[in-house]
């Protein structure tokens, strides 16, 4: 999370310098509103990042940047829509590992080729996943979770942002490494998965830290682990 915030600060600063240094280009583009497609439902880290970027882009470019959430099939529905849109610079995609790497490898025909259908603009940042559980779930540590899952095989569900997403693969990898059996429940984004987790409909989920952190801080969810090598540190503010 801290790495994402810091890199966002740097990207925002560099974007401001770029616009100021090339005022002629800024006068010709954009000439109308830009659509930023987020291939997941609202409430997840992709939406959190996307809306922050859209607001800053709109401020710097002087044109409205419209956020368009298009969830489905692990993010491939919205990604495909952007791949088929006019290549005029007015339809942008907020892509990530799941949509640009995992999806094309998992699905036989996702409807796009990430190497041919997209031109990268720049990296915004990254965030590790977190393993979060409902407060009513008995496990209070990863070790306790593994022990509970071994005693209750195929009875522990975990939510993810959708089949083929990073959170899905993280959950499957964790289960295999720990020698346990978990039941995957796919959603159309991290937001819907966390909503069901908060409601007690599922006991656990893997979710990026920017999406899970507010509920963990509020005591509504319990965080057991993060997928980064080091502990998640304090954030910086732009």
């Amino acid at each position: 999370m801290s790495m994402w915030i810091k890199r966002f600060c740097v990207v925002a600063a560099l974007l401001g310098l770029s616009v100021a240094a090339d005022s002629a280009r800024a006068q010709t583009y954009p000439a109308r509103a830009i659509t930023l497609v987020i291939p997941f439902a609202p409430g997840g880290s992709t939406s959190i990042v996307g809306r922050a970027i859209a607001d800053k882009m709109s401020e710097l470019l002087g044109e409205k940047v419209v956020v368009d959430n298009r969830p489905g099939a692990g993010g491939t529905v919205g990604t495909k829509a952007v791949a088929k849109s006019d290549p005029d610079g007015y339809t942008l995609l907020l892509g990530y590992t799941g949509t640009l790497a995992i999806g094309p490898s998992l699905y036989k025909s996702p409807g796009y080729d990430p190497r041919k259908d997209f031109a990268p603009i720049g990296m915004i940042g990254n965030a590790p996943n977190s393993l979060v559980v409902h407060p009513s779930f008995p496990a209070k540590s990863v070790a306790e979770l593994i022990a509970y899952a071994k005693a209750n095989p195929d009875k522990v569900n975990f939510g993810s942002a959708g089949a083929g997403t990073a959170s899905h693969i993280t959950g499957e990898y964790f289960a295999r490494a720990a020698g346990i059996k978990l039941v995957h429940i796919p959603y159309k984004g991290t937001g819907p998965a966390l909503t069901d987790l908060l409601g007690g409909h599922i006991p656990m989920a893997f979710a990026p830290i920017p999406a899970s952190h507010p509920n963990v801080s509020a005591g509504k969810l319990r965080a057991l682990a993060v997928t980064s090598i080091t502990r998640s540190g304090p954030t910086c503010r732009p």
Side-chain angles (χ1 to χ4, degrees):
M1 184 175 179
S2 60
M3 184 178 296
W4 163 63
I5 295 291
K6 289 178 181 177
R7 289 186 178 177
F8 171 73
C9 295
V10 172
V11 169
L14 291 177
L15 183 56
L17 290 174
S18 175
V19 172
D22 195 354
S23 59
R25 182 178 180 182
Q27 291 174 3
T28 57
Y29 175 87
R32 54 185 172 84
I34 297 170
T35 298
L36 176 61
V37 175
I38 298 175
F40 294 100
S45 62
T46 315
S47 281
I48 294 172
V49 173
R51 292 182 185 280
I53 292 298
D55 289 343
K56 181 60 65 174
M57 287 178 63
S58 180
E59 177 186 337
L60 294 172
L61 298 176
E63 285 287 350
K64 187 175 183 179
V65 178
V66 180
V67 174
D68 183 5
N69 289 89
R70 295 195 188 186
T76 60
V77 171
T79 304
K80 178 181 177 180
V82 175
K84 303 303 179 185
S85 66
D86 292 335
D88 55 9
Y90 287 93
T91 303
L92 307 179
L93 170 72
L94 190 59
Y96 91 120
T97 306
T99 54
L100 299 179
I102 300 174
S105 300
L106 182 65
Y107 297 107
K108 183 177 180 180
S109 180
Y112 60 89
D113 185 333
R115 292 163 294 187
K116 297 179 181 179
D117 295 330
F118 300 105
I121 297 175
M123 179 178 177
I124 296 173
N126 58 55
N129 267 303
S130 60
L131 168 54
V132 288
V133 299
H134 190 269
S136 64
F137 192 61
K140 292 181 171 58
S141 68
V142 173
E144 290 182 7
L145 169 60
I146 293 174
Y148 182 88
K150 286 184 176 180
N152 299 273
D154 292 322
K155 293 184 179 180
V156 180
N157 301 333
F158 80 92
S160 80
T165 60
S167 53
H168 171 208
I169 301 302
T170 298
E172 299 291 356
Y173 182 82
F174 168 72
R176 179 180 290 271
I180 58 178
K181 293 183 178 181
L182 301 175
V183 179
H184 176 228
I185 308 296
Y187 290 85
K188 290 186 176 181
T190 299
L194 291 180
T195 296
D196 262 15
L197 178 60
L198 289 166
H201 301 295
I202 55 175
M204 60 178 283
F206 287 88
I209 289 179
S212 64
H213 183 264
N215 288 308
V216 171
S217 296
K220 296 179 180 179
L221 295 177
R222 184 189 307 131
L224 301 186
V226 294
T227 57
S228 56
I229 298 176
T230 58
R231 184 186 182 93
S232 178
T235 63
C236 80
R237 297 188 181 278

